[in-house]
Amino acid sequence: MTQQEGTAMNFRSLVSTDVWRDLIDRGRRRTYPSKSVLLAQGESPDCVIALVDGLVKVGQSNECGDELTLMLRGPGEVLGEMGALLGRPRSATVTAARRCTGVVLPAHAFRGYVERHRLETVIYQLTVERLNSHERLRADLVHLPSTARVARVVSHLADEVGRPQGVTGLLVELGMPRTELATMAAMRRSSALAALGELQLAGILTLGRRRLIITDVAGLRAVARGEGFPSVKSRKGVAPAM
């Protein structure tokens, strides 16, 4: 995790400015209010959306009908691309975590765009990297204690959508209640909130209503590796903001 904005791989990072611009110029610009659904799980893959601005939440519904948050995505992503290329129903629901701007391109036009710029390998590389990243996160969570699990999820989100904050910090806009981090960390809400409080008391995080500020990036990474807290910066009697 670095001080760069969104260090994880996304579509925009893999193509040239001209190729990205060609995608934007060929689509129809649309604004999505916060909490609106951009793509719905199970629906026909009739279009893709290039995310120009904002933040979206990607989730899947389980057999009980509960939606599980899988990841956050920011500007530079192309949403719904695999369904459009393979002709399969949407595998996840994409919801605006805050107001978003996207460019909508019909599926057939996107397929032509991919063929014209020979982007098949790029799409494959991006898909494999996302799957590997998700699997690494799942595998890590199995072996880590509760606070380390939450730190690992926050570290993952910082790589995905983190933005520089001040000289050394990172801002992670969640666009959702902090309790949803519990689902991502595969743990109880009370345990996840307690772990966030510990990270705040250690001076690693500052908690906001729908955002986190990572004030000690190296400390967060250490805890996420299961190494424990590198130092205690909290003052006695200071309770975490929940």
Side-chain angles (χ1 to χ4, degrees), residues 95-164:
T95 307
R98 56 183 172 85
R99 182 183 174 92
C100 296
T101 301
V103 173
V104 183
L105 193 68
H108 67 86
F110 179 72
R111 290 192 291 269
Y113 164 82
V114 169
E115 182 178 356
R116 182 166 53 256
H117 292 290
R118 300 179 179 179
L119 297 176
E120 293 86 354
T121 300
V122 168
I123 299 292
Y124 175 77
Q125 179 183 0
L126 182 58
T127 301
V128 170
E129 173 58 28
R130 285 174 173 170
L131 288 173
N132 286 342
S133 176
H134 186 71
E135 288 303 315
R136 287 194 299 269
L137 177 62
R138 294 293 103 188
D140 289 347
L141 294 179
V142 171
H143 306 290
L144 292 171
S146 59
T147 303
R149 291 169 81 169
V150 172
R152 180 67 182 84
V153 168
V154 172
S155 176
H156 177 78
L157 293 178
D159 285 340
E160 295 287 348
V161 297
R163 291 184 288 151

Side-chain angles (χ1 to χ4, degrees), residues 61-77:
S61 295
N62 60 21
E63 295 179 354
C64 298
D66 300 321
E67 183 173 308
L68 308 177
T69 300
L70 301 178
M71 65 195 75
L72 298 175
R73 295 291 185 218
E77 293 288 358

Side-chain angles (χ1 to χ4, degrees), residues 30-79:
R30 180 176 174 183
T31 299
Y32 299 89
S34 176
K35 299 183 181 180
S36 62
V37 175
L38 284 69
L39 305 172
Q41 183 176 338
E43 72 178 5
S44 175
D46 56 353
C47 69
V48 300
I49 302 174
L51 190 62
V52 177
D53 182 58
L55 181 72
V56 298
K57 179 179 69 172
V58 181
Q60 282 184 336
S61 295
N62 60 21
E63 295 179 354
C64 298
D66 300 321
E67 183 173 308
L68 308 177
T69 300
L70 301 178
M71 65 195 75
L72 298 175
R73 295 291 185 218
E77 293 288 358
V78 174
L79 309 169

